[in-house]
Amino acid sequence: MKTVYVDNNATTKTAPEVVNEMLPYFSEFYGNPSSMHSFGGEIAAKREDARAKIATLINAEPEEIIFTSCGTESDNTAIVSAIETRPDKKHIITTRVEHPAVRSMCSTLSEKGCRITSVPVDSKGRLDLDYLYDSICDDTAIVSIMWANNETGVIFPIEDIAQNLADRNVLFHTDAVQAVGKVPIDVKKTPVDMLALSGHKLHAPKGIGVLYVKKGTRFSPFLMGGHQEKGRRGGTENVASIIGMGKACELAAEHMQEEAAEVSQLRDRLERELINKIPQSIINGDKKNRLPGTTNISFEYVEGEAILLMINQFGICASSGSACTSGSLEPSHVLRAMGVPYTAAHGSIRFSLCRYNTIEEIDYIIEKVPPVIERLREMSPFWKQGV
Ligand code: PLP
């Protein structure tokens, strides 16, 4: 059976060019970049090449790039660093729709005495900016707001927020894990203090992340150990993955524009056809401001998990809610924050596309999904009562 993979917000295929670039660093060039000998030194030079490529993608300086193990570590590090370097401040502002990488750290810190404000969103997933700005006070250490939402693809106005916060004496962190490589990001134009990236969302491997920290920002390391990353993150570096991430960022910088256009055309075709063919289906999220490849569609009166299982029989890999929440049958916190009715939130499916998807695959999904929804609705007592 063929696999049609449209779950790219969960993880992406490692690009073949990236794999090729990485392979010698598992076998031939296995030195430790911290070693004094030239065998290690050569690896350190390759690591620095990768750092420069990653910096270029977001218009940062190479020394502002810190390697971590994943997006979660980058998010955790940013928030904890803000609290530790500003011990007189105990207030954190975030949103109701953040990824658990931010939400869980905020709840842990709230148990340790921090006060958390979670800014609401409207029915299209757009942020209440007045609520955000009114919440800032002398005690606010950090504002942490994602660049783009992993479940709906909705993009927040990070540039406007960064400009507004610039002279308010708060740190601004953005979780850009879903945005980097899909939409242009320029940290000079958008003056954030910290920004989180993750390799496996942009065709680099799993287990590599990056935290951008603007020059001059006070910083406290999350992992203590050796002098790696100029003392900002202990632990021997995941060299092969760092090199892979550098290559992935280089590819993204070269092809982002045309890929975004192609991927959004495929996404729009999928969305249009599914909505036309399936009654009572609703697109969740602000269609005007979304990542190019993401669509989140609710099929009313059916269970998302059941849809996933049935389309899985055709080799279609998608997601209900986010991959991280789909272990439970609770409707996703993002859709609940948007006020999506219970009957629709339960039947939501996220399709997330990438450069490797083809029009044939999209047409295959368009052919297979409508009969699945029809069958499930025939079995659903709620559908019979609801229509
Ligand atoms: N932030 C967002 C918006 C995400 O979508 C994810 C992963 O799904 C993460 C953070 C965590 O990244 P990682 O899986 O690299 O820890």
Side-chain angles (χ1 to χ4, degrees), residues 245-309:
M245 181 138 180
K247 183 67 187 174
C249 287
E250 185 180 59
L251 292 171
E254 272 167 27
H255 303 296
M256 189 184 327
Q257 222 180 344
E258 80 254 18
E259 269 173 25
E262 282 166 22
V263 165
S264 60
Q265 259 184 22
L266 290 180
R267 187 267 319 267
D268 292 349
R269 180 186 182 96
L270 175 66
E271 200 168 72
R272 196 178 51 242
E273 292 299 316
L274 289 182
I275 295 289
N276 281 344
K277 286 180 194 296
I278 304 171
Q280 289 188 245
S281 43
I282 306 152
I283 297 166
N284 296 310
D286 182 12
K287 281 184 71 179
K288 286 202 206 100
N289 268 314
R290 268 187 313 173
L291 293 172
T294 306
T295 179
N296 185 310
I297 310 180
S298 280
F299 304 105
E300 283 194 284
Y301 300 103
V302 277
E303 194 61 69
E305 310 290 316
I307 304 171
L308 286 187
L309 286 176

XYZ file of all heavy atoms in Angstrom, residues 245-309:
510
model
N 21.093 20.145 9.823
C 20.199 21.300 9.999
C 20.705 22.494 9.193
O 19.916 23.253 8.616
C 20.090 21.666 11.474
C 19.166 22.828 11.716
S 18.136 22.540 13.126
C 17.183 24.043 13.154
N 22.027 22.627 9.139
C 22.597 23.705 8.318
C 22.181 23.536 6.868
O 21.744 24.487 6.206
N 22.276 22.304 6.373
C 21.917 22.042 4.969
C 20.413 22.299 4.753
O 20.014 22.903 3.749
C 22.268 20.580 4.620
C 22.005 20.209 3.180
C 22.949 20.967 2.240
C 22.617 20.753 0.783
N 23.418 21.573 -0.109
N 19.596 21.846 5.712
C 18.138 22.030 5.578
C 17.795 23.520 5.525
O 16.923 23.945 4.754
C 17.417 21.346 6.738
N 18.493 24.314 6.330
C 18.219 25.761 6.340
C 18.683 26.396 5.033
O 18.034 27.307 4.510
C 18.891 26.431 7.539
S 18.065 26.028 9.077
N 19.799 25.903 4.500
C 20.281 26.418 3.219
C 19.246 26.127 2.119
O 18.894 27.000 1.326
C 21.608 25.747 2.890
C 22.287 26.266 1.662
C 23.611 25.524 1.425
O 23.592 24.290 1.279
O 24.653 26.184 1.398
N 18.721 24.891 2.118
C 17.708 24.526 1.111
C 16.454 25.385 1.280
O 15.870 25.851 0.299
C 17.320 23.041 1.251
C 18.392 22.008 0.890
C 17.929 20.605 1.280
C 18.728 22.069 -0.597
N 16.062 25.594 2.536
C 14.852 26.393 2.795
C 15.050 27.822 2.275
O 14.157 28.390 1.637
C 14.536 26.401 4.285
N 16.230 28.387 2.551
C 16.484 29.764 2.104
C 16.413 29.858 0.578
O 15.877 30.815 0.027
C 17.849 30.227 2.604
N 16.919 28.821 -0.111
C 16.948 28.850 -1.577
C 15.556 28.681 -2.193
O 15.242 29.274 -3.210
C 17.832 27.704 -2.094
C 19.295 28.073 -2.206
C 20.165 26.823 -2.413
O 19.660 25.814 -2.966
O 21.308 26.867 -1.989
N 14.740 27.814 -1.589
C 13.504 27.397 -2.274
C 12.209 27.831 -1.595
O 11.126 27.472 -2.059
C 13.489 25.863 -2.409
C 14.691 25.331 -3.123
N 14.955 25.619 -4.444
C 15.719 24.554 -2.703
C 16.087 25.026 -4.808
N 16.581 24.387 -3.766
N 12.298 28.554 -0.491
C 11.089 28.828 0.297
C 9.956 29.460 -0.507
O 8.809 29.033 -0.434
C 11.437 29.743 1.472
C 10.286 29.890 2.447
S 10.585 31.043 3.789
C 12.294 30.937 4.147
N 10.338 30.465 -1.314
C 9.292 31.219 -2.005
C 8.483 30.351 -2.966
O 7.256 30.306 -2.893
C 9.923 32.375 -2.764
C 9.116 33.625 -2.630
C 9.771 34.770 -3.386
O 10.951 34.703 -3.752
N 9.024 35.809 -3.634
N 9.205 29.602 -3.854
C 8.440 28.806 -4.822
C 7.749 27.627 -4.139
O 6.626 27.251 -4.499
C 9.299 28.362 -6.024
C 10.203 27.171 -5.822
C 11.677 27.574 -5.700
O 11.932 28.761 -5.438
O 12.554 26.701 -5.847
N 8.371 27.092 -3.090
C 7.737 25.971 -2.387
C 6.459 26.414 -1.698
O 5.445 25.705 -1.730
C 8.699 25.409 -1.342
C 9.548 24.292 -1.902
C 10.607 23.838 -0.931
O 10.434 24.007 0.296
O 11.621 23.332 -1.421
N 6.496 27.596 -1.095
C 5.303 28.092 -0.402
C 4.155 28.248 -1.400
O 3.002 27.890 -1.103
C 5.614 29.413 0.284
N 4.464 28.753 -2.582
C 3.413 28.944 -3.593
C 2.836 27.593 -4.022
O 1.609 27.414 -4.090
C 3.993 29.692 -4.798
N 3.712 26.615 -4.267
C 3.242 25.297 -4.724
C 2.450 24.577 -3.634
O 1.372 24.035 -3.883
C 4.457 24.422 -5.107
C 5.027 24.790 -6.463
C 6.413 24.175 -6.692
O 6.744 23.162 -6.023
O 7.154 24.733 -7.504
N 2.980 24.618 -2.432
C 2.339 23.884 -1.332
C 0.979 24.516 -1.002
O 0.001 23.810 -0.746
C 3.279 23.861 -0.099
C 2.555 23.442 1.149
C 4.457 22.935 -0.354
N 0.893 25.850 -1.058
C -0.405 26.449 -0.719
C -1.436 26.176 -1.812
O -2.618 26.021 -1.520
C -0.295 27.931 -0.380
O 0.213 28.631 -1.448
N -0.973 26.035 -3.052
C -1.925 25.665 -4.127
C -2.500 24.271 -3.885
O -3.697 24.044 -4.041
C -1.196 25.651 -5.462
C -1.458 26.901 -6.266
C -0.792 26.810 -7.631
O -0.501 25.729 -8.132
N -0.561 27.962 -8.227
N -1.635 23.352 -3.492
C -2.087 21.983 -3.205
C -3.046 21.997 -2.011
O -4.092 21.342 -2.020
C -0.900 21.070 -2.891
C 0.039 20.721 -4.041
C 1.160 19.813 -3.557
C -0.700 20.040 -5.187
N -2.667 22.738 -0.961
C -3.509 22.822 0.233
C -4.881 23.400 -0.124
O -5.920 22.884 0.312
C -2.796 23.693 1.277
C -3.427 23.767 2.656
C -4.397 24.937 2.874
N -4.013 26.209 2.329
C -3.338 27.149 3.004
N -2.956 26.932 4.240
N -3.053 28.313 2.424
N -4.897 24.451 -0.951
C -6.173 25.089 -1.302
C -7.053 24.141 -2.109
O -8.268 24.112 -1.951
C -5.928 26.387 -2.082
C -5.278 27.453 -1.195
O -5.232 27.250 0.043
O -4.792 28.466 -1.736
N -6.412 23.359 -2.997
C -7.176 22.386 -3.794
C -7.820 21.332 -2.874
O -9.008 21.022 -2.985
C -6.211 21.700 -4.775
C -6.848 20.668 -5.685
C -5.734 19.983 -6.482
N -6.218 19.005 -7.423
C -6.436 19.246 -8.714
N -6.227 20.434 -9.212
N -6.857 18.277 -9.516
N -7.025 20.829 -1.938
C -7.513 19.814 -0.996
C -8.687 20.363 -0.182
O -9.749 19.736 -0.079
C -6.359 19.411 -0.068
C -6.698 18.450 1.069
C -7.096 17.085 0.519
C -5.510 18.282 2.020
N -8.491 21.550 0.334
C -9.482 22.176 1.191
C -10.788 22.432 0.426
O -11.877 22.072 0.877
C -8.862 23.499 1.644
C -9.435 24.105 2.856
C -8.522 25.235 3.330
O -8.478 26.299 2.676
O -7.848 25.058 4.335
N -10.632 23.025 -0.752
C -11.807 23.381 -1.573
C -12.629 22.141 -1.914
O -13.842 22.098 -1.734
C -11.286 24.046 -2.857
C -12.307 24.808 -3.659
C -11.671 25.471 -4.873
N -10.877 24.575 -5.695
C -9.565 24.703 -5.921
N -8.894 25.704 -5.385
N -8.917 23.844 -6.693
N -11.956 21.100 -2.352
C -12.660 19.893 -2.788
C -13.313 19.179 -1.606
O -14.446 18.702 -1.721
C -11.692 18.951 -3.517
C -11.215 19.484 -4.852
C -12.350 19.721 -5.843
O -13.236 18.853 -5.950
O -12.358 20.791 -6.491
N -12.615 19.106 -0.490
C -13.210 18.406 0.660
C -14.434 19.168 1.169
O -15.468 18.571 1.476
C -12.184 18.225 1.788
C -11.058 17.218 1.521
C -10.136 17.100 2.735
C -11.591 15.836 1.144
N -14.318 20.487 1.220
C -15.444 21.300 1.699
C -16.635 21.164 0.735
O -17.790 21.074 1.157
C -15.005 22.789 1.825
C -13.932 22.941 2.891
C -16.178 23.728 2.060
C -14.415 22.768 4.304
N -16.346 21.135 -0.571
C -17.425 21.003 -1.564
C -18.102 19.648 -1.500
O -19.305 19.525 -1.663
C -16.867 21.174 -2.987
C -16.675 22.637 -3.299
O -17.219 23.487 -2.603
N -15.880 22.927 -4.325
N -17.316 18.622 -1.261
C -17.865 17.260 -1.332
C -18.494 16.811 -0.013
O -19.296 15.882 -0.012
C -16.743 16.266 -1.701
C -16.309 16.334 -3.157
C -15.213 15.306 -3.396
C -14.483 15.493 -4.681
N -15.205 15.340 -5.893
N -18.091 17.423 1.081
C -18.558 16.923 2.386
C -19.386 18.005 3.079
O -18.839 19.050 3.477
C -17.357 16.517 3.279
C -16.486 15.491 2.545
C -17.835 15.977 4.617
C -15.170 15.164 3.212
N -20.714 17.788 3.230
C -21.523 18.803 3.904
C -21.099 18.938 5.367
O -20.527 18.013 5.947
C -22.958 18.254 3.802
C -22.827 16.812 3.449
C -21.489 16.618 2.805
N -21.392 20.095 5.924
C -21.066 20.395 7.324
C -19.597 20.119 7.659
O -19.269 19.403 8.610
C -22.025 19.656 8.263
C -23.405 20.311 8.154
C -24.403 19.801 9.166
O -25.384 19.189 8.786
N -24.160 20.071 10.428
N -18.750 20.646 6.808
C -17.324 20.642 7.139
C -16.869 22.101 7.219
O -17.315 22.939 6.426
C -16.518 19.848 6.115
O -16.942 20.129 4.807
N -16.029 22.363 8.168
C -15.666 23.758 8.499
C -14.147 23.874 8.582
O -13.493 23.029 9.191
C -16.228 24.138 9.906
C -17.725 23.870 9.985
C -15.892 25.568 10.292
C -18.188 23.561 11.397
N -13.615 24.950 8.001
C -12.166 25.192 8.132
C -11.922 25.946 9.440
O -12.551 26.974 9.702
C -11.636 26.015 6.944
C -11.836 25.201 5.659
C -10.168 26.377 7.137
C -11.686 25.995 4.412
N -11.015 25.426 10.245
C -10.681 26.093 11.509
C -9.458 26.981 11.313
O -8.413 26.490 10.888
C -10.375 25.046 12.585
C -11.594 24.189 12.904
O -12.676 24.714 13.159
N -11.437 22.876 12.861
N -9.607 28.263 11.647
C -8.444 29.155 11.593
C -8.598 30.227 10.527
O -9.363 30.084 9.572
N -7.817 31.279 10.715
C -7.863 32.458 9.863
C -7.249 32.140 8.502
O -6.026 32.004 8.385
C -7.053 33.562 10.565
C -7.058 34.859 9.795
O -7.856 34.985 8.844
O -6.260 35.748 10.157
N -8.105 32.046 7.476
C -7.599 31.632 6.160
C -6.622 32.649 5.570
O -5.799 32.317 4.729
C -8.772 31.414 5.197
C -9.468 30.081 5.414
C -10.560 29.828 4.414
C -10.015 29.551 3.030
N -11.047 29.274 2.044
N -6.729 33.917 6.035
C -5.879 34.970 5.440
C -4.446 34.895 5.943
O -3.525 35.367 5.304
C -6.450 36.339 5.798
C -7.701 36.672 5.033
C -7.913 38.192 5.010
C -9.384 38.509 4.842
N -10.054 38.857 6.092
N -4.274 34.361 7.132
C -2.940 34.381 7.746
C -2.561 32.995 8.227
O -2.601 32.705 9.423
C -2.947 35.326 8.953
C -2.532 36.697 8.553
O -1.545 36.874 7.838
N -3.302 37.672 8.977
N -2.216 32.146 7.276
C -1.897 30.770 7.659
C -0.604 30.320 7.019
O -0.200 30.837 5.977
C -3.003 29.824 7.170
C -4.098 29.588 8.166
C -5.044 28.534 7.665
N -5.450 28.715 6.294
C -6.167 27.836 5.599
N -6.558 26.710 6.158
N -6.512 28.073 4.353
N 0.001 29.306 7.607
C 1.154 28.660 6.974
C 0.695 28.097 5.641
O -0.454 27.651 5.510
C 1.658 27.514 7.855
C 2.268 27.912 9.194
C 2.540 26.677 10.027
C 3.546 28.707 8.982
N 1.585 28.045 4.652
C 1.163 27.617 3.318
C 0.603 26.198 3.252
O -0.307 25.929 2.480
C 2.439 27.717 2.476
C 3.520 28.203 3.348
C 2.983 28.495 4.697
N 1.128 25.261 4.058
C 0.735 23.861 3.872
C -0.284 23.310 4.846
O -0.607 22.130 4.778
N -0.780 24.130 5.755
C -1.628 23.583 6.827
C -3.105 23.879 6.596
O -3.468 25.003 6.268
C -1.214 24.192 8.196
O 0.178 23.975 8.392
C -2.002 23.575 9.341
N -3.943 22.852 6.778
C -5.380 23.088 6.889
C -5.926 22.219 8.004
O -5.499 21.073 8.181
C -6.138 22.830 5.570
O -7.536 23.072 5.805
C -5.978 21.422 5.041
N -6.847 22.799 8.763
C -7.483 22.065 9.856
C -8.986 22.104 9.584
O -9.593 23.162 9.574
C -7.133 22.753 11.182
C -7.651 21.978 12.375
O -8.816 21.597 12.435
N -6.782 21.742 13.329
N -9.547 20.937 9.305
C -10.961 20.892 8.895
C -11.757 20.056 9.895
O -11.340 18.950 10.255
C -11.127 20.268 7.486
C -10.161 20.932 6.491
C -12.560 20.389 7.002
C -10.247 20.390 5.073
N -12.895 20.602 10.335
C -13.797 19.842 11.196
C -14.892 19.217 10.358
O -15.560 19.918 9.583
C -14.449 20.772 12.224
O -13.568 21.026 13.274
N -15.070 17.921 10.526
C -16.190 17.218 9.910
C -17.173 16.951 11.044
O -16.898 16.126 11.929
C -15.699 15.925 9.251
C -14.612 16.165 8.238
C -13.286 15.864 8.520
C -14.917 16.735 6.997
C -12.279 16.112 7.592
C -13.901 16.982 6.061
C -12.585 16.673 6.364
N -18.265 17.696 11.022
C -19.149 17.664 12.185
C -19.753 16.284 12.409
O -20.053 15.559 11.465
C -20.262 18.695 12.014
C -19.770 20.106 12.285
C -20.920 21.076 12.442
O -21.497 21.420 11.398
O -21.234 21.445 13.583
N -19.952 15.977 13.676
C -20.637 14.750 14.140
C -19.872 13.466 13.859
O -20.480 12.393 13.823
C -22.063 14.654 13.561
C -22.921 15.824 13.961
C -23.182 16.855 13.058
C -23.433 15.923 15.252
C -23.936 17.948 13.427
C -24.201 17.019 15.630
C -24.440 18.024 14.711
O -25.180 19.103 15.086
N -18.578 13.546 13.631
C -17.778 12.321 13.574
C -16.556 12.494 14.468
O -16.201 13.612 14.816
C -17.324 11.940 12.139
C -18.403 11.200 11.395
C -16.849 13.128 11.361
N -15.964 11.381 14.816
C -14.831 11.401 15.728
C -13.526 11.418 14.923
O -13.325 10.550 14.059
C -14.926 10.130 16.587
C -14.068 10.101 17.811
C -14.372 11.210 18.801
O -15.458 11.184 19.428
O -13.519 12.101 18.922
N -12.687 12.394 15.216
C -11.419 12.523 14.480
C -10.583 11.251 14.500
O -9.993 10.863 13.492
N -10.547 10.604 15.674
C -9.731 9.387 15.792
C -10.229 8.306 14.831
O -9.447 7.567 14.245
C -9.769 8.833 17.227
C -9.471 9.869 18.312
C -8.028 10.314 18.320
O -7.161 9.446 18.197
O -7.784 11.531 18.424
N -11.563 8.222 14.705
C -12.140 7.203 13.806
C -11.783 7.536 12.354
O -11.446 6.635 11.560
C -13.660 7.160 13.983
N -11.818 8.813 12.014
C -11.439 9.212 10.641
C -9.992 8.800 10.380
O -9.669 8.210 9.352
C -11.589 10.742 10.429
C -13.003 11.214 10.742
C -11.195 11.132 8.995
C -13.161 12.734 10.760
N -9.129 9.120 11.351
C -7.702 8.797 11.171
C -7.481 7.308 10.946
O -6.717 6.909 10.071
C -6.897 9.228 12.402
C -6.635 10.703 12.589
C -5.686 10.922 13.758
C -6.041 11.323 11.319
N -8.172 6.499 11.737
C -7.993 5.043 11.605
C -8.464 4.566 10.237
O -7.813 3.739 9.601
C -8.790 4.316 12.693
C -8.193 4.387 14.096
C -9.117 3.723 15.117
C -6.827 3.705 14.112
